[in-house]
Amino acid sequence: MVVASSAVGSFYQDFDLTWGDKRAKIFNGGQLLSLSLDRVSGSGFQSKRDYLFGRIDMQLKLVAGDSAGTVTAYYLSSQGPTHDEIDFEFLGNVSGQPYILHTNIFAQGKGNREQQFYLWFDPTRNFHTYSVIWKPQHVIFLVDNIPIRVFKNAESLGVPFPENQPMKIYSSLWNADDWATRGGLVKTDWTKAPFTAYYRNFRAIPCNNCGSKRSSSSSVSDAQRQWQPRDELDATSRRRLRWVQKYFMIYNYCTDLKRFPQGFPSECRQH
């Protein structure tokens, strides 16, 4: 595993444009990246490095206007049938209707842990920061440094947790009009193409005292200290988390009785 510095780097040094021909672009001296989607193809990129624990920040400005049918995915993932994955997916919508932020976590190849949210701002007007704090105790999803979801390590209940597989960072913009908007009822309007999303200010802060017990005594830099919370969120963060989940959460697998008539998954007991 290669760890990244806490400084904001260049997209040239941190990422590879992996598909979409010239629809994925890096410009402004490596400080800005864009992905585009047209009728022929979407596009995507991935990190050059693997990451195991730490904080990942990326600022995104999503497809503006009529984005129905499009999905902008930004996630960490390992490879193989027992892969781990930590997902942000932004589901487009018709003009004037809100994006849906879809989150999910896979551990040892098993996902089905979806939570969905509306955002409390227009994510197409300005850049906003979408972050993952990934520690052995939990995964925290944040939007503009406000926690929206906490997935706690529940291995004691027999629930797999992503902790052994280093993951790369991926992002893609693609057409998913068979399911993305109102369950596939609203199709992509190709007269509005190309659809473009923008990225800037990627930062990865390693967690030097995560992982093996031998590393727990290693020194922690000031930059790492800034984000490393205690095992639980502080009072202000817990308040913000409750605010988001009360007013902006629109789906939670842990409350879906139709989906789990025999009882909710074990980890739902502690969320």
Side-chain angles (χ1 to χ4, degrees):
M1 182 191 69
V2 181
V3 293
S5 73
S6 61
V8 174
S10 159
F11 280 111
Y12 287 120
Q13 71 188 44
D14 292 322
F15 292 94
D16 291 320
L17 305 179
T18 47
W19 64 282
D21 198 21
K22 293 186 170 64
R23 293 171 185 84
K25 299 174 183 174
I26 298 173
F27 48 105
N28 278 22
Q31 298 307 301
L32 202 60
L33 186 151
S34 67
L35 295 182
S36 289
L37 163 70
D38 58 31
R39 191 186 285 273
V40 176
S41 178
S43 51
F45 64 87
Q46 71 180 50
S47 63
K48 295 178 186 289
R49 302 176 177 89
D50 293 303
Y51 300 89
L52 183 64
F53 303 128
R55 176 172 177 145
I56 305 293
D57 295 325
M58 183 81 83
Q59 292 191 331
L60 280 76
K61 185 161 72 168
L62 299 178
V63 173
D66 187 347
S67 58
T70 71
V71 173
T72 306
Y74 156 57
Y75 59 102
L76 292 95
S77 183
S78 58
Q79 298 298 309
T82 58
H83 77 291
D84 295 340
E85 191 171 318
I86 301 170
D87 285 345
F88 281 100
E89 288 187 321
F90 302 91
L91 312 185
N93 216 329
V94 293
S95 298
Q97 295 298 309
Y99 264 82
I100 292 174
L101 170 51
H102 175 99
T103 67
N104 201 356
I105 290 186
F106 288 75
Q108 296 176 24
K110 181 183 182 298
N112 301 322
R113 300 185 178 98
E114 301 91 347
Q115 290 184 0
Q116 294 184 339
F117 305 84
Y118 287 142
L119 296 166
W120 49 96
F121 52 83
D122 180 350
T124 72
R125 181 165 292 182
N126 297 300
F127 283 91
H128 291 269
T129 305
Y130 302 92
S131 308
V132 169
I133 293 175
W134 176 25
K135 299 182 74 177
Q137 300 92 336
H138 52 220
V139 174
I140 305 175
F141 295 77
L142 304 100
V143 176
D144 289 338
N145 217 35
I146 295 174
I148 65 167
R149 177 179 186 176
V150 178
F151 183 79
K152 297 178 182 176
N153 186 328
E155 287 181 310
S156 61
L157 302 176
V159 179
F161 185 83
E163 61 181 351
N164 297 314
Q165 301 183 51
M167 297 196 261
K168 281 186 163 59
I169 300 163
Y170 298 85
S171 191
S172 57
L173 174 55
W174 49 290
N175 178 44
D177 68 3
D178 55 334
W179 65 270
T181 305
R182 295 186 59 210
L185 293 177
V186 182
K187 301 300 183 184
T188 304
D189 181 356
W190 293 111
T191 66
K192 303 291 198 301
F195 304 97
T196 304
Y198 297 91
Y199 302 74
R200 73 180 187 191
N201 291 349
F202 165 72
R203 185 174 69 160
I205 308 174
C207 182
N208 284 347
N209 65 344
C210 295
S212 71
K213 293 177 181 175
R214 282 179 299 177
S215 66
S216 61
S217 61
S218 62
S219 62
V220 181
S221 72
D222 288 341
Q224 289 156 5
R225 240 182 235 111
Q226 287 171 11
W227 71 264
Q228 284 190 351
R230 292 181 292 275
D231 289 352
E232 300 299 326
L233 296 168
D234 63 23
T236 301
S237 295
R238 287 198 302 273
R239 244 189 339 265
R240 288 174 168 174
L241 177 66
R242 286 195 299 269
W243 173 74
V244 171
Q245 295 192 337
K246 180 177 181 179
Y247 294 107
F248 298 98
M249 180 185 281
I250 58 172
Y251 178 78
N252 181 4
Y253 77 108
C254 279
T255 59
D256 191 338
L257 285 165
K258 289 183 180 176
R259 186 172 171 189
F260 300 108
Q262 305 303 316
F264 296 121
S266 300
E267 69 269 19
C268 294
R269 297 175 209 159
Q270 58 170 19
H271 280 256

